[in-house]
């Protein structure tokens, strides 16, 4: 059912949904950005249309709603462990088409990668998604090249056109949105300024010793920001936290990890597989545009460009893909 709806009616419906769901969307945090006078846009709980920030690209992705930065798995003492409590409430996430494609990738890693991850699944099962169209393409986006610029199998679609709200309701939960029947097309972008040519069927032996990775030995400072803003980076580490009043009692947490930072490949005995920062870049690139596709049939990178926006050394992932393509074609 396609409708147009006023902001007041939209907010009334959000209030109704909040009885059973926590609602997440990109939200502006004034002056909390990289510089003292810049804002931060990140996913957070919202209660009204006015709090949603779809006028710009969010700096962080919706990934942290389903895959929290820190997640308590269980509590332990010397005799037993107790599973952490589930949130009884459901979750609704308003997100863009590329980020919805990213959810598909995270699902592949956590639900279809031989084993089903119990802690991911129990959160994921309670989430509904609203795909929001993009009024325009943003700096550094290359979603069209990665074929993530549109997503049609949404539970509800939303288009914001010159401050008018249009909804395409497919899931009965969203029938609380009460508007006037109206035909409209979702406003997915069809062109980006940045285009990438992803090389296909890459073999590790053809890329492992390329000179191009050495550029990143010096430029990359191994801060991991690119991984933390990426909607499809899914690596984690585990930490056992012992409580200070009794060291035998504590909790096990799952915490985001980054393949760029020191220590990620440390092994017992002190061996480290990828000491050079350029080798870490190569590993990430291969995962995003080759290894994942070999297993699941589509690229892991969704072309959101957040890694380019976040890198303090101005390293561009899209440039890197194009450089690799050129190298593999003999510099053409
Ligand atoms: S563009 Fe960068 S941040 Fe976005 S999915 Fe690809 S690797 Fe991740
Ligand atoms: S954000 Fe840039 S400098 Fe930091 S780890 Fe990623 S590529 Fe390296």
């Amino acid at each position: 059912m396609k409708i147009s709806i006023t902001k007041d009616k939209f907010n009334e419906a959000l209030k109704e949904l909040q009885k059973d769901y926590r609602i997440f969307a990109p939200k502006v945090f004034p002056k909390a950005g990289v510089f003292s006078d810049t804002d931060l846009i990140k996913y957070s709980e919202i209660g009204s249309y006015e709090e949603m920030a779809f006028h710009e690209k969010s700096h962080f992705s919706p990934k942290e709603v389903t895959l929290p930065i820190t997640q308590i798995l269980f509590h332990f003492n010397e005799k037993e462990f107790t599973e952490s409590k589930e949130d009884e409430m459901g979750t609704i996430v308003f997100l863009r088409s590329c980020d919805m494609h990213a959810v598909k990738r995270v699902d592949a890693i956590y639900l279809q990668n031989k084993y089903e991850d119990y802690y991911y699944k129990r959160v994921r099962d309670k989430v509904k998604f609203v795909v929001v169209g993009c009024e325009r393409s943003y700096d550094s986006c290359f979603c069209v090249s990665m074929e993530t610029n549109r997503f049609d199998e949404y539970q509800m679609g939303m288009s914001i056109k010159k401050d008018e709200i249009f909804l395409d309701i497919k899931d009965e939960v969203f029938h609380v949105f009460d508007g006037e029947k109206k035909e409209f097309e979702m406003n997915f972008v069809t062109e980006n300024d940045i285009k990438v040519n992803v090389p296909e069927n890459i073999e590790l032996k053809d890329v492992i010793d390329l000179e191009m990775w050495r550029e990143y030995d010096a430029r990359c400072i191994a801060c991991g920001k690119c991984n933390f803003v990426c909607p499809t980076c899914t690596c984690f580490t585990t930490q056992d936290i012992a409580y200070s009043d009794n060291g035998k009692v504590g909790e096990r947490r799952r915490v985001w990890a980054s393949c760029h930072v020191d220590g990620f490949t440390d092994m017992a005995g002190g061996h480290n597989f990828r000491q050079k920062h350029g080798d870490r870049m190569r590993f990430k690139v291969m995962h995003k545009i080759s290894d994942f596709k070999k297993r699941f049939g589509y690229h892991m990178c969704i072309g959101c460009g957040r890694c380019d926006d976040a890198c303090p050394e101005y390293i561009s992932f899209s440039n890197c893909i194009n450089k690799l393509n050129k190298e593999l074609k003999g510099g053409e």
Side-chain angles (χ1 to χ4, degrees):
M1 183 176 61
K2 290 184 174 177
I3 61 167
S4 76
I5 186 167
T6 63
K7 285 177 197 165
D8 288 345
K9 290 260 185 198
F10 187 90
N11 285 339
E12 277 172 30
L14 287 187
K15 276 221 156 44
E16 190 58 31
L17 286 169
Q18 276 181 309
K19 291 175 186 165
D20 299 308
Y21 294 91
R22 301 198 304 136
I23 302 171
F24 288 82
K27 188 173 168 176
V28 176
F29 292 81
K31 312 284 183 227
V34 173
F35 303 107
S36 56
D37 61 344
T38 54
D39 297 339
L40 171 73
I41 304 179
K42 70 188 279 283
Y43 271 75
S44 194
E45 230 174 307
I46 55 111
S48 70
Y49 173 79
E50 289 73 18
E51 286 177 272
M52 291 185 187
F54 278 106
H55 60 291
E56 286 292 341
K57 192 196 316 184
S58 65
H59 300 105
F60 287 84
S61 81
K63 176 177 74 178
E64 62 187 284
V65 178
T66 49
L67 198 63
I69 299 170
T70 301
Q71 185 177 26
I72 299 172
L73 304 182
F74 54 81
H75 303 268
F76 60 82
N77 58 37
E78 56 279 53
K79 290 203 183 95
E80 57 188 5
F81 69 91
T82 325
E83 195 183 306
S84 59
K85 291 248 178 321
E86 266 184 81
D87 191 345
E88 294 298 319
M89 298 278 278
T91 303
I92 292 172
V93 185
F94 286 77
L95 77 186
R96 297 182 192 278
S97 162
C98 63
D99 284 332
M100 192 64 229
H101 281 276
V103 172
K104 185 177 158 189
R105 276 115 179 111
V106 178
D107 282 355
I109 291 287
Y110 278 90
L111 301 176
Q112 296 140 28
N113 199 10
K114 277 197 185 167
Y115 304 102
E116 211 172 65
D117 184 278
Y118 172 80
Y119 294 98
Y120 178 76
K121 189 170 181 341
R122 73 178 194 180
V123 177
R124 180 66 180 83
D125 280 349
K126 291 191 177 135
V127 186
K128 291 192 182 284
F129 295 99
V130 179
V131 172
V132 181
C134 294
E135 274 185 292
R136 63 187 172 92
S137 171
Y138 300 90
D139 291 349
S140 77
C141 294
F142 54 101
C143 55
V144 176
S145 299
M146 303 313 291
E147 298 177 354
T148 61
N149 52 313
R150 65 176 303 134
F151 191 95
D152 297 312
E153 294 86 43
Y154 44 72
Q155 288 161 316
M156 183 163 86
M158 175 171 168
S159 270
I160 306 163
K161 294 176 185 171
K162 293 196 177 121
D163 252 10
E164 258 195 281
I165 310 169
F166 299 88
L167 301 176
D168 182 9
I169 300 168
K170 295 189 181 176
D171 187 301
E172 59 180 21
V173 162
F174 297 115
H175 282 147
V176 289
F177 288 95
D178 179 22
E180 215 180 288
K181 276 197 178 158
K182 201 158 215 171
E183 273 306 312
F184 72 96
E185 291 299 319
M186 287 287 287
N187 46 357
F188 296 122
V189 298
T190 52
E191 209 170 338
N192 308 124
D193 288 344
I194 294 177
K195 295 173 180 56
V196 300
N197 293 306
V198 185
E200 293 293 336
N201 306 316
I202 317 172
E203 294 298 332
L204 184 60
K205 65 176 175 43
D206 298 329
V207 299
I208 195 160
D209 291 324
L210 287 177
E211 195 48 37
M212 65 172 275
W213 306 120
R214 304 288 61 90
E215 171 194 339
Y216 302 103
D217 288 346
R219 286 183 70 197
C220 173
I221 56 169
C223 65
K225 275 185 89 176
C226 51
N227 294 122
F228 296 132
V229 297
C230 177
T232 64
C233 277
T234 49
C235 290
F236 65 84
T237 184
T238 50
Q239 295 176 345
D240 284 348
I241 308 291
Y243 299 148
S244 52
D245 46 354
N246 180 352
K248 289 180 178 163
V249 180
E251 60 198 36
R252 175 161 296 179
R253 295 176 184 175
R254 162 149 92 185
V255 184
W256 284 6
S258 154
C259 57
H260 270 279
V261 302
D262 292 343
F264 182 79
T265 59
D266 279 358
M267 306 278 294
H271 183 67
N272 180 317
F273 282 107
R274 290 183 290 277
Q275 285 184 359
K276 289 182 180 168
H277 296 178
D279 291 349
R280 298 176 195 177
M281 185 72 180
R282 183 197 64 222
F283 172 79
K284 183 181 73 180
V285 170
M286 286 295 282
H287 194 201
K288 297 287 179 196
I289 61 160
S290 176
D291 302 335
F292 180 93
K293 187 174 180 184
K294 282 181 185 158
R295 183 169 296 194
F296 295 106
Y298 47 89
H299 290 303
M300 189 179 210
C301 174
I302 50 127
C304 69
R306 287 188 179 99
C307 49
D308 290 20
D309 302 337
C311 179
E313 298 299 310
Y314 303 106
I315 290 171
S316 162
F317 190 72
S318 52
N319 265 343
C320 183
I321 300 175
N322 282 336
K323 262 191 229 172
L324 180 62
N325 187 49
K326 209 169 158 188
E327 286 279 346
L328 293 173
K329 288 189 172 154
E332 278 170 38

Short mmCIF file of all heavy atoms in Angstrom, two decimals, residues 70 72-76 239-243 249-253:
data_model
loop_
_atom_site.label_atom_id
_atom_site.label_comp_id
_atom_site.label_asym_id
_atom_site.label_seq_id
_atom_site.Cartn_x
_atom_site.Cartn_y
_atom_site.Cartn_z
N THR A 70 29.97 -3.50 21.87
CA THR A 70 30.27 -4.41 22.99
C THR A 70 29.00 -5.16 23.33
O THR A 70 27.96 -4.54 23.54
CB THR A 70 30.70 -3.60 24.25
OG1 THR A 70 31.84 -2.84 23.90
CG2 THR A 70 31.04 -4.52 25.39
N ILE A 72 27.48 -8.27 25.82
CA ILE A 72 27.75 -9.26 26.88
C ILE A 72 27.13 -10.59 26.44
O ILE A 72 25.94 -10.66 26.13
CB ILE A 72 27.14 -8.82 28.23
CG1 ILE A 72 27.79 -7.50 28.66
CG2 ILE A 72 27.36 -9.89 29.29
CD1 ILE A 72 27.14 -6.87 29.88
N LEU A 73 27.95 -11.64 26.38
CA LEU A 73 27.44 -12.95 25.95
C LEU A 73 26.93 -13.73 27.17
O LEU A 73 25.83 -14.27 27.16
CB LEU A 73 28.53 -13.75 25.25
CG LEU A 73 29.20 -13.07 24.05
CD1 LEU A 73 30.22 -13.99 23.41
CD2 LEU A 73 28.16 -12.66 23.00
N PHE A 74 27.76 -13.80 28.22
CA PHE A 74 27.30 -14.50 29.43
C PHE A 74 28.04 -13.99 30.67
O PHE A 74 29.10 -13.35 30.56
CB PHE A 74 27.42 -16.02 29.29
CG PHE A 74 28.80 -16.50 28.91
CD1 PHE A 74 29.80 -16.63 29.87
CD2 PHE A 74 29.07 -16.86 27.59
CE1 PHE A 74 31.05 -17.10 29.51
CE2 PHE A 74 30.33 -17.32 27.23
CZ PHE A 74 31.33 -17.44 28.20
N HIS A 75 27.46 -14.28 31.83
CA HIS A 75 28.08 -13.95 33.11
C HIS A 75 28.61 -15.25 33.69
O HIS A 75 28.01 -16.31 33.49
CB HIS A 75 27.05 -13.34 34.07
CG HIS A 75 26.38 -12.12 33.48
ND1 HIS A 75 26.84 -10.85 33.68
CD2 HIS A 75 25.28 -12.00 32.69
CE1 HIS A 75 26.07 -9.99 33.04
NE2 HIS A 75 25.11 -10.66 32.43
N PHE A 76 29.73 -15.21 34.41
CA PHE A 76 30.28 -16.45 34.97
C PHE A 76 30.74 -16.25 36.41
O PHE A 76 31.02 -15.14 36.87
CB PHE A 76 31.45 -16.97 34.11
CG PHE A 76 32.61 -16.00 34.00
CD1 PHE A 76 33.58 -15.92 35.00
CD2 PHE A 76 32.73 -15.17 32.88
CE1 PHE A 76 34.64 -15.03 34.89
CE2 PHE A 76 33.79 -14.27 32.78
CZ PHE A 76 34.75 -14.20 33.79
N GLN A 239 36.48 -10.71 25.24
CA GLN A 239 37.19 -10.26 26.44
C GLN A 239 36.47 -10.82 27.66
O GLN A 239 35.25 -10.75 27.74
CB GLN A 239 37.16 -8.73 26.53
CG GLN A 239 37.89 -8.04 25.42
CD GLN A 239 37.75 -6.52 25.49
OE1 GLN A 239 36.90 -5.99 26.21
NE2 GLN A 239 38.58 -5.81 24.74
N ASP A 240 37.23 -11.39 28.58
CA ASP A 240 36.65 -11.80 29.87
C ASP A 240 36.95 -10.70 30.87
O ASP A 240 38.11 -10.37 31.11
CB ASP A 240 37.28 -13.12 30.35
CG ASP A 240 36.71 -14.30 29.58
OD1 ASP A 240 35.71 -14.12 28.87
OD2 ASP A 240 37.27 -15.40 29.69
N ILE A 241 35.90 -10.11 31.41
CA ILE A 241 36.06 -9.01 32.36
C ILE A 241 35.77 -9.56 33.76
O ILE A 241 34.65 -10.00 34.05
CB ILE A 241 35.07 -7.86 32.06
CG1 ILE A 241 35.15 -7.43 30.59
CG2 ILE A 241 35.28 -6.68 33.01
CD1 ILE A 241 36.40 -6.75 30.16
N ALA A 242 36.78 -9.59 34.62
CA ALA A 242 36.58 -10.05 36.01
C ALA A 242 36.19 -8.84 36.86
O ALA A 242 36.77 -7.76 36.71
CB ALA A 242 37.85 -10.68 36.53
N TYR A 243 35.19 -9.02 37.72
CA TYR A 243 34.74 -7.90 38.55
C TYR A 243 35.77 -7.63 39.66
O TYR A 243 36.38 -8.57 40.19
CB TYR A 243 33.36 -8.18 39.15
CG TYR A 243 32.29 -8.39 38.10
CD1 TYR A 243 31.21 -9.24 38.32
CD2 TYR A 243 32.34 -7.71 36.87
CE1 TYR A 243 30.22 -9.42 37.35
CE2 TYR A 243 31.36 -7.89 35.91
CZ TYR A 243 30.30 -8.75 36.15
OH TYR A 243 29.35 -8.93 35.19
N VAL A 249 34.44 -13.86 39.45
CA VAL A 249 33.10 -13.57 38.90
C VAL A 249 33.26 -12.48 37.84
O VAL A 249 34.03 -11.54 38.02
CB VAL A 249 32.16 -13.07 40.02
CG1 VAL A 249 30.79 -12.76 39.47
CG2 VAL A 249 32.08 -14.10 41.14
N GLY A 250 32.54 -12.65 36.74
CA GLY A 250 32.67 -11.62 35.70
C GLY A 250 31.79 -11.89 34.50
O GLY A 250 30.77 -12.60 34.61
N GLU A 251 32.15 -11.34 33.38
CA GLU A 251 31.33 -11.52 32.17
C GLU A 251 32.22 -11.65 30.94
O GLU A 251 33.34 -11.12 30.91
CB GLU A 251 30.37 -10.33 32.01
CG GLU A 251 31.07 -9.00 31.86
CD GLU A 251 30.13 -7.82 32.13
OE1 GLU A 251 29.25 -7.93 33.00
OE2 GLU A 251 30.28 -6.80 31.43
N ARG A 252 31.73 -12.39 29.95
CA ARG A 252 32.44 -12.47 28.67
C ARG A 252 31.73 -11.55 27.68
O ARG A 252 30.52 -11.58 27.52
CB ARG A 252 32.44 -13.89 28.11
CG ARG A 252 33.08 -13.94 26.73
CD ARG A 252 33.51 -15.31 26.32
NE ARG A 252 34.56 -15.81 27.20
CZ ARG A 252 35.11 -17.02 27.08
NH1 ARG A 252 34.70 -17.83 26.13
NH2 ARG A 252 36.04 -17.41 27.91
N ARG A 253 32.55 -10.71 27.05
CA ARG A 253 32.01 -9.75 26.08
C ARG A 253 32.55 -10.03 24.69
O ARG A 253 33.70 -10.46 24.54
CB ARG A 253 32.41 -8.33 26.45
CG ARG A 253 31.85 -7.86 27.75
CD ARG A 253 32.40 -6.49 28.04
NE ARG A 253 31.95 -6.02 29.35
CZ ARG A 253 32.36 -4.89 29.89
NH1 ARG A 253 33.22 -4.12 29.24
NH2 ARG A 253 31.94 -4.51 31.07
#
